[in-house]
mmCIF file of all heavy atoms in Angstrom:
data_model
loop_
_atom_site.group_PDB
_atom_site.id
_atom_site.type_symbol
_atom_site.label_atom_id
_atom_site.label_comp_id
_atom_site.label_asym_id
_atom_site.label_seq_id
_atom_site.Cartn_x
_atom_site.Cartn_y
_atom_site.Cartn_z
ATOM 1 N N GLY A 1316 0.804 -1.211 0.000
ATOM 2 C CA GLY A 1316 0.000 0.000 0.000
ATOM 3 C C GLY A 1316 0.840 1.267 0.000
ATOM 4 O O GLY A 1316 2.073 1.236 -0.006
ATOM 5 N N VAL A 1317 0.134 2.389 0.034
ATOM 6 C CA VAL A 1317 0.755 3.707 0.011
ATOM 7 C C VAL A 1317 0.991 4.165 1.443
ATOM 8 O O VAL A 1317 0.071 4.142 2.266
ATOM 9 C CB VAL A 1317 -0.151 4.707 -0.726
ATOM 10 C CG1 VAL A 1317 0.455 6.103 -0.693
ATOM 11 C CG2 VAL A 1317 -0.401 4.248 -2.162
ATOM 12 N N GLU A 1318 2.203 4.597 1.754
ATOM 13 C CA GLU A 1318 2.483 5.145 3.081
ATOM 14 C C GLU A 1318 1.858 6.524 3.210
ATOM 15 O O GLU A 1318 2.020 7.371 2.338
ATOM 16 C CB GLU A 1318 3.991 5.223 3.338
ATOM 17 C CG GLU A 1318 4.581 3.926 3.830
ATOM 18 C CD GLU A 1318 5.920 4.125 4.540
ATOM 19 O OE1 GLU A 1318 6.127 5.208 5.137
ATOM 20 O OE2 GLU A 1318 6.737 3.202 4.480
ATOM 21 N N VAL A 1319 1.134 6.733 4.313
ATOM 22 C CA VAL A 1319 0.471 8.012 4.564
ATOM 23 C C VAL A 1319 0.667 8.399 6.026
ATOM 24 O O VAL A 1319 0.979 7.563 6.882
ATOM 25 C CB VAL A 1319 -1.046 7.933 4.267
ATOM 26 C CG1 VAL A 1319 -1.316 7.720 2.786
ATOM 27 C CG2 VAL A 1319 -1.709 6.841 5.103
ATOM 28 N N ASP A 1320 0.469 9.691 6.298
ATOM 29 C CA ASP A 1320 0.380 10.177 7.675
ATOM 30 C C ASP A 1320 -1.051 10.012 8.143
ATOM 31 O O ASP A 1320 -1.999 10.400 7.440
ATOM 32 C CB ASP A 1320 0.784 11.654 7.752
ATOM 33 C CG ASP A 1320 2.264 11.862 7.515
ATOM 34 O OD1 ASP A 1320 3.063 11.116 8.123
ATOM 35 O OD2 ASP A 1320 2.621 12.753 6.723
ATOM 36 N N PHE A 1321 -1.207 9.460 9.348
ATOM 37 C CA PHE A 1321 -2.541 9.147 9.853
ATOM 38 C C PHE A 1321 -2.486 9.224 11.374
ATOM 39 O O PHE A 1321 -1.800 8.428 12.010
ATOM 40 C CB PHE A 1321 -2.936 7.739 9.383
ATOM 41 C CG PHE A 1321 -4.376 7.357 9.611
ATOM 42 C CD1 PHE A 1321 -5.408 8.057 9.007
ATOM 43 C CD2 PHE A 1321 -4.695 6.271 10.409
ATOM 44 C CE1 PHE A 1321 -6.727 7.687 9.186
ATOM 45 C CE2 PHE A 1321 -6.013 5.888 10.598
ATOM 46 C CZ PHE A 1321 -7.029 6.599 9.985
ATOM 47 N N PHE A 1322 -3.165 10.217 11.947
ATOM 48 C CA PHE A 1322 -3.126 10.424 13.387
ATOM 49 C C PHE A 1322 -1.687 10.459 13.913
ATOM 50 O O PHE A 1322 -1.321 9.751 14.844
ATOM 51 C CB PHE A 1322 -3.953 9.361 14.121
ATOM 52 C CG PHE A 1322 -5.432 9.490 13.911
ATOM 53 C CD1 PHE A 1322 -6.126 8.560 13.148
ATOM 54 C CD2 PHE A 1322 -6.133 10.547 14.457
ATOM 55 C CE1 PHE A 1322 -7.491 8.681 12.941
ATOM 56 C CE2 PHE A 1322 -7.502 10.686 14.262
ATOM 57 C CZ PHE A 1322 -8.184 9.757 13.505
ATOM 58 N N ALA A 1323 -0.886 11.304 13.278
ATOM 59 C CA ALA A 1323 0.487 11.576 13.719
ATOM 60 C C ALA A 1323 1.388 10.347 13.675
ATOM 61 O O ALA A 1323 2.359 10.257 14.430
ATOM 62 C CB ALA A 1323 0.495 12.189 15.117
ATOM 63 N N GLY A 1324 1.084 9.402 12.826
ATOM 64 C CA GLY A 1324 1.932 8.235 12.636
ATOM 65 C C GLY A 1324 1.900 7.802 11.182
ATOM 66 O O GLY A 1324 1.077 8.291 10.385
ATOM 67 N N ARG A 1325 2.795 6.896 10.810
ATOM 68 C CA ARG A 1325 2.853 6.383 9.452
ATOM 69 C C ARG A 1325 2.147 5.038 9.380
ATOM 70 O O ARG A 1325 2.347 4.163 10.231
ATOM 71 C CB ARG A 1325 4.307 6.224 8.994
ATOM 72 C CG ARG A 1325 5.103 7.500 8.972
ATOM 73 C CD ARG A 1325 4.616 8.474 7.917
ATOM 74 N NE ARG A 1325 4.938 8.034 6.551
ATOM 75 C CZ ARG A 1325 4.519 8.689 5.464
ATOM 76 N NH1 ARG A 1325 3.742 9.752 5.560
ATOM 77 N NH2 ARG A 1325 4.863 8.254 4.255
ATOM 78 N N THR A 1326 1.325 4.887 8.354
ATOM 79 C CA THR A 1326 0.664 3.619 8.102
ATOM 80 C C THR A 1326 0.540 3.450 6.591
ATOM 81 O O THR A 1326 0.921 4.334 5.829
ATOM 82 C CB THR A 1326 -0.712 3.547 8.783
ATOM 83 O OG1 THR A 1326 -1.235 2.214 8.661
ATOM 84 C CG2 THR A 1326 -1.704 4.516 8.161
ATOM 85 N N ARG A 1327 0.046 2.299 6.155
ATOM 86 C CA ARG A 1327 -0.187 2.066 4.735
ATOM 87 C C ARG A 1327 -1.677 1.952 4.477
ATOM 88 O O ARG A 1327 -2.407 1.320 5.247
ATOM 89 C CB ARG A 1327 0.512 0.776 4.271
ATOM 90 C CG ARG A 1327 2.027 0.837 4.269
ATOM 91 C CD ARG A 1327 2.602 -0.398 3.585
ATOM 92 N NE ARG A 1327 4.059 -0.437 3.656
ATOM 93 C CZ ARG A 1327 4.742 -1.100 4.584
ATOM 94 N NH1 ARG A 1327 4.097 -1.798 5.511
ATOM 95 N NH2 ARG A 1327 6.054 -1.076 4.584
ATOM 96 N N MET A 1328 -2.096 2.527 3.372
ATOM 97 C CA MET A 1328 -3.481 2.411 2.936
ATOM 98 C C MET A 1328 -3.508 1.938 1.485
ATOM 99 O O MET A 1328 -2.561 2.184 0.728
ATOM 100 C CB MET A 1328 -4.218 3.746 3.087
ATOM 101 C CG MET A 1328 -4.418 4.130 4.546
ATOM 102 S SD MET A 1328 -5.434 5.601 4.774
ATOM 103 C CE MET A 1328 -5.504 5.617 6.580
ATOM 104 N N PRO A 1329 -4.567 1.259 1.081
ATOM 105 C CA PRO A 1329 -4.607 0.703 -0.272
ATOM 106 C C PRO A 1329 -4.636 1.800 -1.329
ATOM 107 O O PRO A 1329 -5.264 2.848 -1.162
ATOM 108 C CB PRO A 1329 -5.892 -0.127 -0.279
ATOM 109 C CG PRO A 1329 -6.710 0.420 0.832
ATOM 110 C CD PRO A 1329 -5.760 0.892 1.869
ATOM 111 N N ALA A 1330 -3.978 1.532 -2.436
ATOM 112 C CA ALA A 1330 -3.939 2.487 -3.540
ATOM 113 C C ALA A 1330 -5.187 2.423 -4.403
ATOM 114 O O ALA A 1330 -5.428 3.330 -5.212
ATOM 115 C CB ALA A 1330 -2.702 2.212 -4.409
ATOM 116 N N GLY A 1331 -5.990 1.376 -4.241
ATOM 117 C CA GLY A 1331 -7.113 1.116 -5.135
ATOM 118 C C GLY A 1331 -8.074 2.273 -5.344
ATOM 119 O O GLY A 1331 -8.385 2.615 -6.497
ATOM 120 N N PRO A 1332 -8.603 2.899 -4.266
ATOM 121 C CA PRO A 1332 -9.570 3.982 -4.497
ATOM 122 C C PRO A 1332 -9.000 5.118 -5.340
ATOM 123 O O PRO A 1332 -9.641 5.600 -6.272
ATOM 124 C CB PRO A 1332 -9.924 4.436 -3.083
ATOM 125 C CG PRO A 1332 -9.698 3.219 -2.228
ATOM 126 C CD PRO A 1332 -8.505 2.544 -2.836
ATOM 127 N N ALA A 1333 -7.766 5.561 -5.008
ATOM 128 C CA ALA A 1333 -7.157 6.654 -5.767
ATOM 129 C C ALA A 1333 -6.866 6.233 -7.206
ATOM 130 O O ALA A 1333 -7.152 6.969 -8.157
ATOM 131 C CB ALA A 1333 -5.877 7.110 -5.074
ATOM 132 N N LEU A 1334 -6.307 5.048 -7.371
ATOM 133 C CA LEU A 1334 -5.946 4.577 -8.701
ATOM 134 C C LEU A 1334 -7.179 4.432 -9.584
ATOM 135 O O LEU A 1334 -7.169 4.813 -10.769
ATOM 136 C CB LEU A 1334 -5.206 3.241 -8.588
ATOM 137 C CG LEU A 1334 -4.624 2.662 -9.878
ATOM 138 C CD1 LEU A 1334 -3.645 3.631 -10.517
ATOM 139 C CD2 LEU A 1334 -3.934 1.319 -9.582
ATOM 140 N N LEU A 1335 -8.247 3.913 -9.025
ATOM 141 C CA LEU A 1335 -9.472 3.707 -9.795
ATOM 142 C C LEU A 1335 -10.080 5.049 -10.222
ATOM 143 O O LEU A 1335 -10.525 5.205 -11.370
ATOM 144 C CB LEU A 1335 -10.470 2.907 -8.958
ATOM 145 C CG LEU A 1335 -11.663 2.269 -9.655
ATOM 146 C CD1 LEU A 1335 -11.214 1.358 -10.780
ATOM 147 C CD2 LEU A 1335 -12.495 1.489 -8.634
ATOM 148 N N ALA A 1336 -10.082 6.026 -9.307
ATOM 149 C CA ALA A 1336 -10.628 7.340 -9.649
ATOM 150 C C ALA A 1336 -9.773 8.022 -10.716
ATOM 151 O O ALA A 1336 -10.305 8.616 -11.663
ATOM 152 C CB ALA A 1336 -10.711 8.205 -8.397
ATOM 153 N N LEU A 1337 -8.446 7.922 -10.585
ATOM 154 C CA LEU A 1337 -7.567 8.544 -11.573
ATOM 155 C C LEU A 1337 -7.675 7.845 -12.931
ATOM 156 O O LEU A 1337 -7.596 8.475 -13.979
ATOM 157 C CB LEU A 1337 -6.123 8.512 -11.077
ATOM 158 C CG LEU A 1337 -5.811 9.437 -9.896
ATOM 159 C CD1 LEU A 1337 -4.423 9.133 -9.329
ATOM 160 C CD2 LEU A 1337 -5.899 10.897 -10.325
ATOM 161 N N ARG A 1338 -7.872 6.542 -12.903
ATOM 162 C CA ARG A 1338 -7.952 5.771 -14.144
ATOM 163 C C ARG A 1338 -9.238 6.065 -14.906
ATOM 164 O O ARG A 1338 -9.248 6.071 -16.145
ATOM 165 C CB ARG A 1338 -7.870 4.280 -13.802
ATOM 166 C CG ARG A 1338 -7.886 3.337 -14.985
ATOM 167 C CD ARG A 1338 -7.656 1.908 -14.511
ATOM 168 N NE ARG A 1338 -7.603 0.960 -15.605
ATOM 169 C CZ ARG A 1338 -7.298 -0.333 -15.468
ATOM 170 N NH1 ARG A 1338 -7.005 -0.820 -14.268
ATOM 171 N NH2 ARG A 1338 -7.281 -1.138 -16.507
ATOM 172 N N THR A 1339 -10.329 6.319 -14.175
ATOM 173 C CA THR A 1339 -11.639 6.446 -14.809
ATOM 174 C C THR A 1339 -12.174 7.873 -14.835
ATOM 175 O O THR A 1339 -13.079 8.171 -15.631
ATOM 176 C CB THR A 1339 -12.670 5.578 -14.071
ATOM 177 O OG1 THR A 1339 -12.832 6.076 -12.731
ATOM 178 C CG2 THR A 1339 -12.224 4.122 -14.036
ATOM 179 N N GLY A 1340 -11.660 8.731 -13.952
ATOM 180 C CA GLY A 1340 -12.230 10.060 -13.818
ATOM 181 C C GLY A 1340 -13.517 10.084 -13.022
ATOM 182 O O GLY A 1340 -14.176 11.130 -12.909
ATOM 183 N N ALA A 1341 -13.917 8.946 -12.444
ATOM 184 C CA ALA A 1341 -15.143 8.884 -11.647
ATOM 185 C C ALA A 1341 -14.986 9.720 -10.378
ATOM 186 O O ALA A 1341 -13.879 9.831 -9.835
ATOM 187 C CB ALA A 1341 -15.460 7.433 -11.282
ATOM 188 N N PRO A 1342 -16.059 10.317 -9.893
ATOM 189 C CA PRO A 1342 -15.973 11.068 -8.641
ATOM 190 C C PRO A 1342 -15.562 10.157 -7.489
ATOM 191 O O PRO A 1342 -15.995 9.004 -7.407
ATOM 192 C CB PRO A 1342 -17.381 11.620 -8.444
ATOM 193 C CG PRO A 1342 -18.260 10.790 -9.327
ATOM 194 C CD PRO A 1342 -17.421 10.343 -10.465
ATOM 195 N N LEU A 1343 -14.722 10.696 -6.605
ATOM 196 C CA LEU A 1343 -14.196 9.953 -5.463
ATOM 197 C C LEU A 1343 -14.667 10.624 -4.182
ATOM 198 O O LEU A 1343 -14.373 11.804 -3.949
ATOM 199 C CB LEU A 1343 -12.671 9.921 -5.519
ATOM 200 C CG LEU A 1343 -11.932 9.395 -4.288
ATOM 201 C CD1 LEU A 1343 -12.307 7.945 -3.997
ATOM 202 C CD2 LEU A 1343 -10.422 9.536 -4.472
ATOM 203 N N TYR A 1344 -15.394 9.874 -3.374
ATOM 204 C CA TYR A 1344 -15.882 10.365 -2.084
ATOM 205 C C TYR A 1344 -15.208 9.593 -0.954
ATOM 206 O O TYR A 1344 -14.757 8.456 -1.142
ATOM 207 C CB TYR A 1344 -17.400 10.175 -1.968
ATOM 208 C CG TYR A 1344 -18.195 10.858 -3.046
ATOM 209 C CD1 TYR A 1344 -18.603 10.162 -4.182
ATOM 210 C CD2 TYR A 1344 -18.541 12.198 -2.939
ATOM 211 C CE1 TYR A 1344 -19.329 10.783 -5.183
ATOM 212 C CE2 TYR A 1344 -19.282 12.829 -3.936
ATOM 213 C CZ TYR A 1344 -19.669 12.118 -5.057
ATOM 214 O OH TYR A 1344 -20.385 12.737 -6.045
ATOM 215 N N VAL A 1345 -15.186 10.213 0.218
ATOM 216 C CA VAL A 1345 -14.756 9.526 1.439
ATOM 217 C C VAL A 1345 -15.927 9.547 2.407
ATOM 218 O O VAL A 1345 -16.533 10.600 2.644
ATOM 219 C CB VAL A 1345 -13.529 10.195 2.067
ATOM 220 C CG1 VAL A 1345 -13.130 9.463 3.348
ATOM 221 C CG2 VAL A 1345 -12.363 10.198 1.085
ATOM 222 N N ALA A 1346 -16.256 8.389 2.941
ATOM 223 C CA ALA A 1346 -17.397 8.272 3.844
ATOM 224 C C ALA A 1346 -16.948 8.315 5.294
ATOM 225 O O ALA A 1346 -15.927 7.728 5.667
ATOM 226 C CB ALA A 1346 -18.146 6.969 3.577
ATOM 227 N N SER A 1347 -17.710 9.015 6.096
ATOM 228 C CA SER A 1347 -17.635 8.909 7.549
ATOM 229 C C SER A 1347 -18.818 8.049 7.976
ATOM 230 O O SER A 1347 -19.943 8.274 7.517
ATOM 231 C CB SER A 1347 -17.720 10.297 8.178
ATOM 232 O OG SER A 1347 -17.795 10.218 9.596
ATOM 233 N N MET A 1348 -18.577 7.059 8.840
ATOM 234 C CA MET A 1348 -19.638 6.110 9.192
ATOM 235 C C MET A 1348 -19.710 5.966 10.705
ATOM 236 O O MET A 1348 -18.689 5.879 11.385
ATOM 237 C CB MET A 1348 -19.380 4.760 8.519
ATOM 238 C CG MET A 1348 -19.219 4.872 7.009
ATOM 239 S SD MET A 1348 -19.058 3.278 6.181
ATOM 240 C CE MET A 1348 -20.730 2.684 6.305
ATOM 241 N N TRP A 1349 -20.945 5.916 11.217
ATOM 242 C CA TRP A 1349 -21.137 5.819 12.668
ATOM 243 C C TRP A 1349 -22.532 5.276 12.958
ATOM 244 O O TRP A 1349 -23.336 5.055 12.049
ATOM 245 C CB TRP A 1349 -20.944 7.190 13.316
ATOM 246 C CG TRP A 1349 -22.025 8.194 13.018
ATOM 247 C CD1 TRP A 1349 -23.127 8.476 13.778
ATOM 248 C CD2 TRP A 1349 -22.117 9.046 11.860
ATOM 249 N NE1 TRP A 1349 -23.887 9.449 13.179
ATOM 250 C CE2 TRP A 1349 -23.292 9.828 12.017
ATOM 251 C CE3 TRP A 1349 -21.317 9.236 10.733
ATOM 252 C CZ2 TRP A 1349 -23.681 10.767 11.061
ATOM 253 C CZ3 TRP A 1349 -21.707 10.182 9.794
ATOM 254 C CH2 TRP A 1349 -22.859 10.926 9.955
ATOM 255 N N TYR A 1350 -22.791 5.089 14.233
ATOM 256 C CA TYR A 1350 -24.094 4.620 14.695
ATOM 257 C C TYR A 1350 -24.831 5.710 15.463
ATOM 258 O O TYR A 1350 -24.226 6.441 16.251
ATOM 259 C CB TYR A 1350 -23.941 3.424 15.638
ATOM 260 C CG TYR A 1350 -23.854 2.083 14.960
ATOM 261 C CD1 TYR A 1350 -22.774 1.236 15.203
ATOM 262 C CD2 TYR A 1350 -24.851 1.643 14.103
ATOM 263 C CE1 TYR A 1350 -22.700 -0.016 14.600
ATOM 264 C CE2 TYR A 1350 -24.781 0.407 13.496
ATOM 265 C CZ TYR A 1350 -23.708 -0.426 13.750
ATOM 266 O OH TYR A 1350 -23.630 -1.658 13.146
ATOM 267 N N GLU A 1351 -26.129 5.812 15.223
ATOM 268 C CA GLU A 1351 -27.064 6.495 16.105
ATOM 269 C C GLU A 1351 -27.914 5.409 16.764
ATOM 270 O O GLU A 1351 -27.920 4.261 16.288
ATOM 271 C CB GLU A 1351 -27.943 7.468 15.323
ATOM 272 C CG GLU A 1351 -27.186 8.603 14.649
ATOM 273 C CD GLU A 1351 -26.593 9.602 15.628
ATOM 274 O OE1 GLU A 1351 -26.958 9.554 16.824
ATOM 275 O OE2 GLU A 1351 -25.762 10.438 15.201
ATOM 276 N N PRO A 1352 -28.622 5.727 17.849
ATOM 277 C CA PRO A 1352 -29.411 4.670 18.511
ATOM 278 C C PRO A 1352 -30.378 3.945 17.582
ATOM 279 O O PRO A 1352 -30.597 2.738 17.722
ATOM 280 C CB PRO A 1352 -30.153 5.450 19.610
ATOM 281 C CG PRO A 1352 -29.250 6.595 19.934
ATOM 282 C CD PRO A 1352 -28.637 6.989 18.616
ATOM 283 N N ASP A 1353 -30.948 4.664 16.607
ATOM 284 C CA ASP A 1353 -31.988 4.067 15.777
ATOM 285 C C ASP A 1353 -31.539 3.671 14.387
ATOM 286 O O ASP A 1353 -32.325 3.118 13.608
ATOM 287 C CB ASP A 1353 -33.160 5.043 15.650
ATOM 288 C CG ASP A 1353 -32.763 6.330 14.933
ATOM 289 O OD1 ASP A 1353 -31.596 6.743 15.060
ATOM 290 O OD2 ASP A 1353 -33.620 6.921 14.239
ATOM 291 N N ALA A 1354 -30.278 3.938 14.014
ATOM 292 C CA ALA A 1354 -29.863 3.667 12.634
ATOM 293 C C ALA A 1354 -28.347 3.717 12.512
ATOM 294 O O ALA A 1354 -27.657 4.325 13.337
ATOM 295 C CB ALA A 1354 -30.488 4.687 11.674
ATOM 296 N N ALA A 1355 -27.842 3.062 11.460
ATOM 297 C CA ALA A 1355 -26.462 3.269 11.031
ATOM 298 C C ALA A 1355 -26.455 4.480 10.106
ATOM 299 O O ALA A 1355 -27.372 4.658 9.300
ATOM 300 C CB ALA A 1355 -25.936 2.042 10.303
ATOM 301 N N CYS A 1356 -25.420 5.318 10.223
ATOM 302 C CA CYS A 1356 -25.395 6.580 9.486
ATOM 303 C C CYS A 1356 -24.071 6.748 8.759
ATOM 304 O O CYS A 1356 -23.063 6.128 9.116
ATOM 305 C CB CYS A 1356 -25.600 7.762 10.435
ATOM 306 S SG CYS A 1356 -27.179 7.731 11.308
ATOM 307 N N ALA A 1357 -24.095 7.605 7.753
ATOM 308 C CA ALA A 1357 -22.877 7.936 7.018
ATOM 309 C C ALA A 1357 -23.034 9.310 6.403
ATOM 310 O O ALA A 1357 -24.153 9.794 6.184
ATOM 311 C CB ALA A 1357 -22.592 6.900 5.928
ATOM 312 N N SER A 1358 -21.907 9.947 6.150
ATOM 313 C CA SER A 1358 -21.887 11.194 5.394
ATOM 314 C C SER A 1358 -20.754 11.120 4.382
ATOM 315 O O SER A 1358 -19.758 10.411 4.595
ATOM 316 C CB SER A 1358 -21.710 12.401 6.314
ATOM 317 O OG SER A 1358 -20.447 12.361 6.956
ATOM 318 N N LEU A 1359 -20.906 11.833 3.293
ATOM 319 C CA LEU A 1359 -19.915 11.819 2.217
ATOM 320 C C LEU A 1359 -19.161 13.143 2.177
ATOM 321 O O LEU A 1359 -19.765 14.214 2.262
ATOM 322 C CB LEU A 1359 -20.586 11.591 0.861
ATOM 323 C CG LEU A 1359 -21.268 10.244 0.629
ATOM 324 C CD1 LEU A 1359 -21.852 10.193 -0.776
ATOM 325 C CD2 LEU A 1359 -20.313 9.088 0.845
ATOM 326 N N GLU A 1360 -17.850 13.070 2.032
ATOM 327 C CA GLU A 1360 -17.033 14.231 1.714
ATOM 328 C C GLU A 1360 -16.549 14.080 0.279
ATOM 329 O O GLU A 1360 -16.057 13.026 -0.105
ATOM 330 C CB GLU A 1360 -15.827 14.344 2.645
ATOM 331 C CG GLU A 1360 -14.945 15.543 2.312
ATOM 332 C CD GLU A 1360 -13.727 15.678 3.198
ATOM 333 O OE1 GLU A 1360 -13.670 14.987 4.238
ATOM 334 O OE2 GLU A 1360 -12.823 16.458 2.852
#
């Protein structure tokens, strides 16, 4: 994977999402996901 800074440390993340978006020009979103008492929720950036 690709080395990135993440919470003040180094880790690796997969290249797939970036590579696929660059290869196709498709819009690339990042989801935030969490729970509320009555539902699973997400938001897109």
Side-chain angles (χ1 to χ4, degrees):
V1317 177
E1318 276 200 30
V1319 293
D1320 290 313
F1321 190 62
F1322 290 110
R1325 299 293 289 175
T1326 188
R1327 292 189 185 95
M1328 292 186 176
L1334 186 58
L1335 195 56
L1337 290 170
R1338 182 174 182 174
T1339 64
L1343 170 61
Y1344 302 96
V1345 179
S1347 174
M1348 305 185 73
W1349 70 95
Y1350 274 125
E1351 297 291 348
D1353 64 328
C1356 299
S1358 64
L1359 295 181
E1360 179 181 347

